[in-house]
Amino acid sequence: MTTARTPATARRPRIGLVAGGLGAYWPQFPDLLPQLKRSAARVAERMAGFDAEVVDVGFISDAPEGAAAAEKLRAADCDLIVGFLTTYMTATMLVPVAQRSGAPVLLINLQPTEAMDHASFDTGQWLAYCGACPLPEMANAFERCGVPFRSVSGHLEDERAWARIGRWIRAAGVRAVLRGGRHGLMGHLYPGMYDVSTDLTMVTANLGGHVEVLEFDDLRVRAEKAGDAEVTAKLAETREVFDLDATVDPDDLAWAARVSVGLDRLAADFDLDSLAYYHRGLDGETHERLGAGMILGASLLTARGIPAAGEYELRTSLAMLVADRFGAGGSFTEMQALNFRDGVVEMGHDGPGHLAISEGRPLLRGLGVYHGKRGWGVSVEFDVRHGPVTAVGLGQTRDGRYRLIASTGTVTGGPLLAIGNTTSRVDFGRDPGEWCDEWSASGVGHHWALATGNLLPELRALADLAGLDLVEVAGSGEGDA
C-alpha cells in the first residue's frame, strides 16, 4: 500500500534561478560583479523561503554561458524559471533559457535599494541599479520569439515585489500539482447533469495530470476489510472534529466511519490528489449504502488536502484542489437561494465540505432522506469562515477549453437552514439577482469551490502560467494587479 500525497508530503515547486549581467563590465568595474553575486545569493535565499526547491545555475555573463544555463535548467525539469536581471544584459543571454527550459519564465529586476545615492555614486555603482534597462529588450525579444512574458520590478528588500514573486512561485506550484496530479473519478454521472459531464481526455489536454477511473467496488472491498480497531479510531476522530446532533443514528455513524476508513485506503492505494464520485443505487443495496455513507469520509479527506466532491463533479474537485493548494480551503458549493432582504447569496451543498475552513465546529446531522438522491445517513452541516471569500469554478467552453471563473465576496453571519447542508451567506457587494445572472452566464457549472480570502491575484497568476482564460465576475473586492 502506498501513502497518498498531502500538502505536507507533496513535492515542493521546483524553481530554476539564473542571474546575469553583461560580462564587458567586469574588467571595467572590478567591484561590480561581487556586489551583483551577493544580490543573487539574497534572491536565492528569499525564494527558498516560499517553500520552494531552488535550482540555482549560477551567474551568467555572455551568450555561451546563457546556453549552458539553459541546458541545466531544461534537465532540472523546473516548474518556473526566474531570470534575475542584476544589471544590463543582452537578450541573447536569456532567450535560450526561455526557449529550451519548457517552463514558464519570470524576469525579476530588483535593484539593491530603493534609490541611488546620486551625490556619491560612480558609473560602477550605478550599473548595480541598472536591471530595469534590459527589461524592455527582453520583453521585445520574448514577444518576437513567441515566449510569454511576465516580470516583477522592485528592490531587494521590497516586500511588495516579493509578495508578487511569491504569488508566481505559488501559482507555479499549483500548476505543477495539476500537471502531475492523480484525480479519482468513481461511479457514474448523476443522470441528466449535462454541465457536469466531463471528457476525461480534456482534463489532461487542458491541465495535465491523470484521471483514475474507479469503481464503487474498489471502495466496497476496502470498506469491508476495515477492522474494528480502525473503525473505532475513526469514530473517535469524528467525535473530536464534529458536534453530533441528536438525530445521528449510531448504526449510520458506524457505517459512515467504516466507509471513511475505506476511503482513506482508496486514496492511499491509488495515490489520489482529488476525488469525484456518485452512485445512484437501488433499494438500499450495498452500493447505494456506500454512496450514502461517503459524506463523513469525503469531508475528512478534503480537510487533509484531498478534495472530494459528490455528484461526479470532477471539474469542481479540481477547482477545490486549486483553492486548497493556495491555502484557501475550497468547499463543495452550489446556489441555494437568493436573499434580497439581506443582500446575500446563500450557497452550500448537501455533501462533503472543507472542514478546515468552517466558522465553528462542524455538525453531523442524521438524515432519513437525501434530497434528490437515494439512501440515508449522516451529513455535514457548517458555515464557511466569516470574512472575505472567493467563489472558484472551472468551466468548459464549446470547443473543450477550460476556463477559471472567480468572484470575490464576504461571508456574513445570519440565519441558516438546519438541514444537514453546508450553507454560507455571501455578500458580493451588489444585487444578488444581478450577480446570479452574471455568474451563471460565465460558463461555470452549477457547482464550484468556495474558498477563504481574495484569491484573484493568485488565480490571475495561475491562469497565465497554465494558459487558461480567467473570467472575473464582479464582486466586492477585485484584488491587486
Side-chain angles (χ1 to χ4, degrees):
M1 181 183 296
T2 59
T3 300
R5 285 170 287 165
T6 67
T9 60
R11 178 174 71 82
R12 296 179 296 159
R14 185 174 298 129
I15 310 300
L17 173 62
V18 55
L22 188 65
Y25 295 150
W26 314 150
Q28 296 174 325
F29 308 100
D31 294 335
L32 179 59
L33 181 58
Q35 179 182 1
L36 300 182
K37 287 186 173 180
R38 288 193 296 272
S39 292
R42 178 58 176 155
V43 165
E45 179 184 28
R46 288 293 303 259
M47 283 173 47
F50 291 106
D51 195 27
E53 176 189 350
V54 180
V55 180
D56 188 350
V57 296
F59 201 99
I60 61 174
S61 302
D62 54 32
E65 290 181 359
E71 286 304 304
K72 292 178 184 176
L73 291 172
R74 181 189 62 78
D77 188 26
C78 295
D79 301 312
L80 179 72
I81 304 297
V82 176
F84 178 22
L85 312 178
T86 66
T87 185
Y88 176 74
M89 57 194 297
T90 59
T92 189
M93 297 166 64
L94 278 186
V95 165
V97 172
Q99 288 180 317
R100 300 177 195 175
S101 66
V105 178
L106 169 67
L107 300 183
I108 61 173
N109 153 43
L110 300 178
Q111 61 190 40
T113 64
E114 292 178 294
M116 294 184 291
D117 182 352
H118 299 82
S120 65
F121 271 27
D122 60 19
T123 302
Q125 291 167 306
W126 154 58
L127 287 173
Y129 285 72
C130 202
C133 180
L135 191 55
E137 177 176 338
M138 299 299 170
N140 178 281
F142 280 24
E143 168 66 24
R144 292 163 68 181
C145 292
V147 176
F149 174 72
R150 55 198 68 83
S151 67
V152 172
S153 293
H155 60 88
L156 272 180
E157 305 303 334
D158 181 351
E159 294 307 321
R160 181 176 173 82
W162 278 108
R164 294 172 62 201
I165 292 168
R167 192 175 299 146
W168 287 112
I169 291 174
R170 287 189 294 273
V174 174
R175 175 178 178 263
V177 167
L178 294 173
R179 286 167 61 87
R182 292 178 54 82
H183 313 296
L185 189 61
M186 183 170 68
H188 61 80
L189 180 72
Y190 188 108
M193 287 185 180
Y194 282 172
D195 64 320
V196 169
S197 178
T198 298
D199 180 339
L200 304 191
T201 304
M202 297 314 295
V203 175
T204 302
N206 282 277
L207 304 175
H210 167 74
V211 178
E212 184 72 24
V213 176
L214 302 169
E215 303 282 356
F216 257 74
D217 285 323
D218 291 318
L219 175 60
R220 176 185 59 80
V221 170
R222 288 166 174 81
E224 289 173 349
K225 290 182 177 179
D228 291 342
E230 293 173 296
V231 174
T232 298
K234 184 63 69 174
L235 286 169
E237 178 187 357
T238 299
R239 291 187 174 94
E240 288 178 4
V241 173
F242 294 90
D243 287 334
L244 271 60
D245 188 74
T247 56
V248 172
D249 180 86
D251 290 339
D252 291 345
L253 180 60
W255 173 249
R258 176 172 293 276
V259 174
S260 181
V261 172
L263 274 173
D264 289 346
R265 290 183 176 178
L266 185 82
D269 289 348
F270 289 97
D271 197 17
L272 298 181
D273 291 286
S274 69
L275 174 67
Y277 65 89
Y278 175 75
H279 185 82
R280 182 168 55 186
L282 185 65
D283 292 339
E285 51 81 35
T286 299
H287 296 91
E288 178 186 301
R289 294 292 292 129
L290 284 166
M294 286 190 63
I295 293 174
L296 169 64
S299 297
L300 291 171
L301 272 183
T302 300
R304 75 167 205 249
I306 305 175
E311 297 181 11
Y312 214 59
E313 235 312 11
L314 177 58
R315 289 200 312 279
T316 295
S317 60
L318 291 168
M320 292 165 65
L321 181 64
V322 167
D324 183 85
R325 293 307 190 266
F326 276 128
S331 200
F332 189 39
T333 306
E334 67 183 0
M335 215 85 72
Q336 291 182 329
L338 304 181
N339 188 327
F340 293 96
R341 182 188 60 215
D342 297 338
V344 297
V345 179
E346 297 182 29
M347 58 177 68
H349 210 280
D350 63 326
H354 201 307
L355 306 176
I357 60 171
S358 175
E359 170 67 12
R361 275 174 63 86
L363 177 78
L364 276 186
R365 186 179 296 279
L367 297 179
V369 61
Y370 291 150
H371 71 272
K373 303 180 182 71
R374 293 173 179 161
W376 65 91
V378 297
S379 190
V380 171
E381 187 175 297
F382 70 79
D383 184 10
V384 165
R385 186 180 307 135
H386 295 180
V389 291
T390 306
V392 183
L394 190 63
Q396 181 173 328
T397 64
R398 186 174 182 178
D399 63 2
R401 288 182 56 81
Y402 284 3
R403 59 167 57 152
L404 286 166
I405 302 162
S407 186
T408 56
T410 303
V411 172
T412 63
L416 303 171
L417 294 173
I419 58 172
N421 282 208
T422 64
T423 307
S424 296
R425 296 158 47 94
V426 187
D427 182 354
F428 288 100
R430 55 189 296 199
D431 177 77
E434 293 177 359
W435 182 88
C436 179
D437 290 337
E438 187 175 344
W439 179 254
S440 300
S442 68
V444 72
H446 80 280
H447 301 116
W448 52 89
L450 187 61
T452 55
N454 180 353
L455 283 189
L456 284 181
E458 284 76 11
L459 293 173
R460 289 168 186 155
L462 175 62
D464 180 284
L465 296 182
L468 299 171
D469 290 333
L470 172 61
V471 178
E472 299 182 24
V473 175
S476 59
E478 297 308 300
D480 338 267

